[in-house]
């Protein structure tokens, strides 16, 4: 019986994950229909007209399918072999993009190629995923083996982020942060994700509650310091393995806080910030002493958390003031600090009105009033979900959500059955990108996240986005289809 060739087309299509392909086709076709609905202007133009956004998207879909088939025909080993060269080429392209691109709403991220424009940042996602997978598949590479391994992985992620930020494209740069979920899957400590989450909480609380004060301390800073104390107590209890150490911290924080509160009620002027910092500082010294006595070096994590959290807290306002005005306003609108319904909050407000007016079953295809009258800017790109919500209602929005959930879970399943580290890591990169884009885009449209210009994969209009996600997905499908075609000698 003849052995199968590694790149036998018949074998590839036989082993292809057709469930994922079906989900992909449903999403791109539903996206085209949604784009037509979002851009419909009562002139009864055909969905397939070259003058309509939907007609243009159909051409992008056709080209994307051709690219997808071509990727399936390439030997799967080539993706691992040329992962680093492709990554370097994309980095060079990202570096020269600001010098070639024209100003597009303040961004220099689009390169014009004749009648069309491409955004290299969309293709950088795939190149970075391949490079990260190649790194993890290196001989004897283990993320936790030595600190330099962390440096290599983080460098692969952050270099494209820096180059894209130089293009003034913050939204696209942030999507690469999703790859930290991949590092967690490959052994990174959960403390890193906790630190990132805690940093976001500090930023939000520090910015939102800055106008009022508690016992002479701005409310935001007081709340953060209270959270720091609670985290110190929890970490000390876990790492010391002795409840009495945590109990002493609780008594110290509670006792000093009660005394300060009583003095404040009595009208005694107190330097609240200095006292609070001193209380935390003395607690840190106590934890260090206990760490030495008990020989529990992990207790230093509690001290480091307190010091870094407070340091980050005092840098929040400086960092926020360094942002551009429109970025500050978008964050303030998302946090509910200001409404600004005529400027920074206009898009989100109109989007929420459109989605809310859809009700359970929606107003019907092409019957949306908010979208047809163009009340929602960018409704065929970043805000495409509001068209779905208005015309198809809660049922349509739920269907789209389930499609993304099915795709992400399917990609994770594909990753878990890969026999190679390269395939597994690449699959988790793809899943992380899709999860990040979906969560942030939907959060942005319904007002839970600041507006940062992140498209909804396969639904938002745009060739670069569609091609980028298609390349990401079809390379994974090829790697998965080839996992069984191993030539035996």
């Amino acid at each position: 019986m003849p052995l199968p060739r590694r790149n036998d087309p018949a074998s590839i299509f036989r082993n292809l994950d057709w469930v994922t392909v079906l989900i992909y086709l449903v999403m791109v076709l539903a996206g085209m229909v949604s784009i037509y609905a979002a851009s419909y202007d009562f002139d009864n133009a055909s969905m397939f007209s070259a003058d309509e956004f939907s007609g243009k998207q159909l051409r992008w879909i056709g080209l994307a399918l051709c690219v997808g088939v071509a990727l399936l025909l390439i030997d799967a080993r080539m993706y691992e072999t040329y992962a680093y060269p492709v990554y370097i080429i994309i980095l060079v392209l990202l570096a020269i993009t600001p010098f070639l691109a024209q100003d597009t709403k303040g961004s220099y991220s689009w390169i014009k190629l004749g009648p069309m424009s491409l955004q290299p940042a969309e293709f950088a996602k795939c190149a970075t995923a391949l490079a990260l997978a190649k790194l993890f598949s290196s001989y004897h590479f283990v993320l936790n083996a030595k600190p330099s391994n962390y440096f290599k992985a983080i460098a692969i992620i952050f270099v494209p982020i820096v180059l894209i930020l130089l293009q003034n494209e913050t939204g696209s740069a942030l999507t690469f942060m999703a790859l930290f979920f991949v590092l967690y899957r490959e052994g990174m400590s959960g403390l890193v994700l906790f630190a990132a989450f805690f940093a976001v909480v500090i930023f939000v609380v520090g910015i939102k509650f800055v106008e009022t004060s508690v016992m002479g301390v701005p409310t935001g800073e007081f709340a953060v310091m209270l959270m720091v104390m609670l985290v110190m107590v929890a970490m000390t209890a876990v790492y010391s393995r002795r409840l009495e150490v945590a109990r002493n911290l609780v008594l110290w924080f509670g006792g000093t806080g009660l005394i300060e509160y009583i003095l404040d009620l009595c009208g005694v002027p107190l330097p609240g910030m200095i006292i609070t910092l001193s209380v935390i500082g003395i607690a840190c010294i106590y934890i260090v002493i206990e760490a030495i006595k008990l020989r529990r070096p992990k207790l230093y994590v509690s001290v480091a958390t307190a010091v870094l959290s407070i340091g980050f807290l005092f840098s929040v306002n400086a960092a926020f003031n360094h942002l551009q005005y429109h970025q500050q306003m978008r964050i303030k609108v998302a946090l509910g600090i200001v409404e600004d319904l005529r400027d920074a909050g206009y898009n989100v407000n109109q989007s929420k009105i459109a989605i809310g007016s859809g009700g359970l079953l929606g107003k019907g295809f092409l019957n949306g009033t908010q979208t047809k009258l163009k009340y929602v800017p960018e409704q065929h790109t970043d805000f495409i979900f509001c068209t779905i919500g208005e015309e198809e209602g809660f049922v349509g929005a739920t269907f789209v959500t389930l499609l993304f959930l099915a795709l992400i879970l399917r990609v994770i399943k594909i990753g878990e059955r890969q026999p190679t580290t390269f395939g597994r890591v690449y699959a988790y990169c793809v899943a992380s990108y899709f999860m990040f884009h979906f969560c942030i885009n939907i959060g942005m449209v319904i007002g839970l996240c600041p507006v940062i210009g992140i498209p909804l994969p396969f639904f938002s209009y745009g060739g670069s986005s569609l091609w980028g996600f298609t390349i990401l997905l079809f390379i994974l499908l090829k790697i998965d289809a080839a996992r069984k075609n191993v030539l035996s000698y």
Side-chain angles (χ1 to χ4, degrees), residues 66-385:
C66 293
V67 171
V69 173
L71 292 171
L72 293 177
L73 295 176
I74 297 174
D75 193 329
R77 293 171 297 176
M78 301 291 283
Y79 296 118
E80 183 173 359
T81 301
Y82 292 99
Y84 286 151
V86 169
Y87 178 73
I88 293 172
I89 291 171
I90 289 294
L91 290 184
V92 173
L93 184 59
L94 289 175
I96 65 175
T97 294
F99 302 100
L100 302 177
Q102 297 179 347
D103 187 349
T104 305
K105 298 180 180 180
S107 171
Y108 295 86
S109 58
W110 294 85
I111 297 179
K112 192 169 183 61
L113 300 173
M116 64 180 184
S117 298
L118 292 177
Q119 188 178 22
E122 293 294 337
F123 304 101
K125 296 171 187 174
C126 180
T128 305
L130 288 171
L132 196 62
K134 174 70 173 179
L135 174 67
F136 276 90
S137 65
S138 302
Y139 185 67
H140 279 179
F141 182 91
V142 178
L143 186 62
N144 293 322
K146 48 186 177 180
S148 62
N149 288 349
Y150 274 98
F151 175 79
K152 293 174 184 176
I154 293 174
I156 287 176
I157 297 173
F158 269 95
V159 171
I161 289 178
V162 172
L163 294 176
I164 294 172
L165 285 175
L166 294 176
Q167 302 171 11
N168 201 20
E169 189 66 33
T170 307
S172 296
L174 286 176
T175 60
F176 289 83
M177 300 300 291
L179 296 179
F180 276 88
F181 290 109
V182 181
L183 301 188
Y184 176 71
R185 167 62 180 82
E186 295 301 316
M188 183 181 72
S189 172
L191 284 174
V192 178
L193 292 182
F194 172 76
F197 172 77
F198 199 40
V200 172
V201 172
I202 291 174
F203 182 85
V204 170
V205 174
I207 294 297
K208 185 174 177 63
F209 303 103
V210 72
E211 301 294 335
T212 58
S213 62
V214 177
M215 292 187 291
V217 182
T219 304
E221 296 177 358
F222 177 83
V224 170
M225 291 184 182
L226 183 61
M227 286 188 289
V228 168
M229 294 177 186
L230 294 174
V231 170
M232 289 178 69
V233 171
M235 285 186 168
T236 301
V238 172
Y239 292 138
S240 69
R241 299 180 184 176
R242 294 195 177 184
L243 292 179
E244 59 266 25
V245 179
R247 179 202 61 196
N248 293 340
L249 281 180
V250 172
L251 293 175
W252 169 247
F253 289 141
T256 54
L258 180 61
I259 293 173
E260 186 176 357
Y261 178 70
I262 293 173
L263 292 175
D264 183 67
L265 288 179
C266 295
V268 179
L270 296 172
M273 180 65 70
I274 295 177
I275 293 177
T276 306
L277 290 175
S278 300
V279 168
I280 294 177
I282 293 172
C284 288
I285 295 173
Y286 170 72
I287 293 173
V288 170
I289 294 173
E290 290 296 324
I292 296 173
K293 287 170 53 180
L294 300 174
R295 296 182 181 180
R296 304 281 187 190
K298 285 189 176 181
L299 280 171
Y300 296 128
V301 175
S302 176
V303 176
T305 300
V307 173
L308 294 176
S309 297
I310 292 174
F312 181 74
L313 171 64
F314 289 119
S315 67
V316 162
N317 286 326
F320 183 76
N321 292 332
H322 187 69
L323 296 175
Q324 298 181 18
Y325 175 76
H326 72 278
Q327 294 173 328
Q328 294 182 16
M329 290 304 297
R330 287 175 178 178
I331 293 174
K332 287 181 178 180
V333 168
L335 296 180
I337 299 174
V338 297
E339 289 190 355
D340 195 16
L341 300 182
R342 294 186 177 182
D343 191 8
Y346 178 80
N347 289 27
V348 175
N349 184 58
Q350 295 299 325
S351 175
K352 290 193 290 186
I353 292 174
I355 294 173
S357 65
L360 179 62
L361 300 176
K363 298 177 179 177
F365 185 58
L366 301 181
N367 291 326
T369 53
Q370 289 292 113
T371 51
K372 296 302 162 292
L373 297 176
K374 312 300 181 186
Y375 281 112
V376 185
E378 308 298 338
Q379 60 191 23
H380 64 295
T381 55
D382 297 342
F383 282 80
I384 189 70
F385 190 75

Side-chain angles (χ1 to χ4, degrees), residues 355 358-362 388-401:
I355 294 173
L360 179 62
L361 300 176
I388 299 169
E390 182 181 25
E391 296 192 351
E392 311 305 328
F394 177 78
V395 173
T398 301
F399 175 71
V400 172
T401 301

Side-chain angles (χ1 to χ4, degrees), residues 35-36 39 47 49-58 380 461:
I35 291 168
Y36 176 68
S39 57
M47 182 185 301
S49 171
D51 296 327
E52 293 289 319
F53 284 117
S54 56
K56 296 176 183 177
Q57 186 74 357
L58 181 60
H380 64 295
Y461 172 78

